[in-house]
Amino acid sequence: GIFRCLSSTDLLFPITIILVGVLVNLSLLGEMTMVSVNFPITAMSFFAEGFASLPVAVISLQMIITLSPAHHRASALALMRLTEAIVRIPASQLIGLLSDVFRGEETSTTARFYALRNALLCVWFVLILSSVAYLLVLRFYREDVAKARESERRHALQSTPLISRKSTLISRKSTVINSFS
């Protein structure tokens, strides 16, 4: 069951990302809904988001390193950075487009503020979907780590020479020493 999985250290990375991701999502929600209502709550939400965002980034990198065999880690990290760039580059334009759609023909400052807030709330739902995706990661994480370790073992076996120079030299020495005895 799920409680057996929670006691294992193999799942520590994805479980931490899920828990910290929920904290980030809640702090973002607090920022967006309280920014015009209560400044101290907004400030605490900003602090919580900043405090929780760094571990998510670091642990995500550690998950990539853990899930990738040593001979594929550079490619895996490059693909992760490329995916992040593909998602982040149009993000601000999409938020602006959503804000314009929500604002409609209204030109007042209040309408602009609430339209932008509603567009950012749509982003919050995307963050919830990412937390759900990490829940799916829990299902396959152990198997993927085992596959990566097996691939590393196979790669190490394939790159090991059949006859190493050290063993050849040692056996020659022992033959020379035995011939003098």
Side-chain angles (χ1 to χ4, degrees):
I2 187 73
F3 295 107
R4 185 179 57 82
C5 295
L6 291 176
S7 66
S8 175
T9 58
D10 289 345
L11 299 174
L12 186 62
F13 293 140
I15 288 172
T16 305
I17 286 182
I18 291 168
L19 294 177
V20 173
V22 168
L23 176 65
V24 168
N25 289 339
L26 291 175
S27 65
L28 284 172
L29 182 64
E31 289 171 24
M32 290 182 267
T33 56
M34 292 294 178
V35 71
S36 63
V37 178
N38 190 336
F39 178 75
I41 292 176
T42 304
M44 288 186 297
S45 295
F46 272 113
F47 176 76
E49 179 197 355
F51 184 73
S53 295
L54 181 63
V56 168
V58 172
I59 293 172
S60 296
L61 285 173
Q62 186 61 42
M63 280 181 62
I64 293 292
I65 290 171
T66 304
L67 290 172
S68 304
H71 54 282
H72 291 299
R73 286 186 182 144
S75 301
L77 289 172
L79 285 172
M80 184 184 84
R81 295 292 184 204
L82 178 65
T83 305
E84 286 178 357
I86 289 171
V87 170
R88 288 184 183 191
I89 288 172
S92 57
Q93 286 81 14
L94 290 174
I95 291 171
L97 180 68
L98 280 173
S99 176
D100 291 343
V101 167
F102 289 141
R103 184 173 43 95
E105 297 298 321
E106 187 70 35
T107 58
S108 70
T109 306
T110 306
R112 283 195 221 161
F113 171 76
Y114 285 112
L116 182 59
R117 185 188 76 172
N118 292 339
L120 290 172
L121 283 172
C122 290
V123 172
W124 185 72
F125 289 110
V126 172
L127 294 173
I128 290 173
L129 292 176
S130 71
S131 294
V132 170
Y134 273 110
L135 281 173
L136 294 174
V137 166
L138 280 175
R139 169 80 170 93
F140 303 104
Y141 187 74
R142 281 187 186 163
E143 297 166 12
D144 291 344
V145 169
K147 287 178 187 176
R149 288 179 184 157
E150 178 62 26
S151 176
E152 274 187 28
R153 192 185 65 73
R154 270 188 277 124
H155 183 71
L157 286 175
Q158 290 172 354
S159 61
T160 305
L162 293 176
I163 301 173
S164 68
R165 291 183 180 194
K166 282 186 173 182
S167 65
T168 307
L169 291 174
I170 291 172
S171 59
R172 284 184 187 167
K173 276 185 176 180
S174 63
T175 307
V176 171
I177 291 172
N178 289 337
S179 64
F180 288 114
S181 315

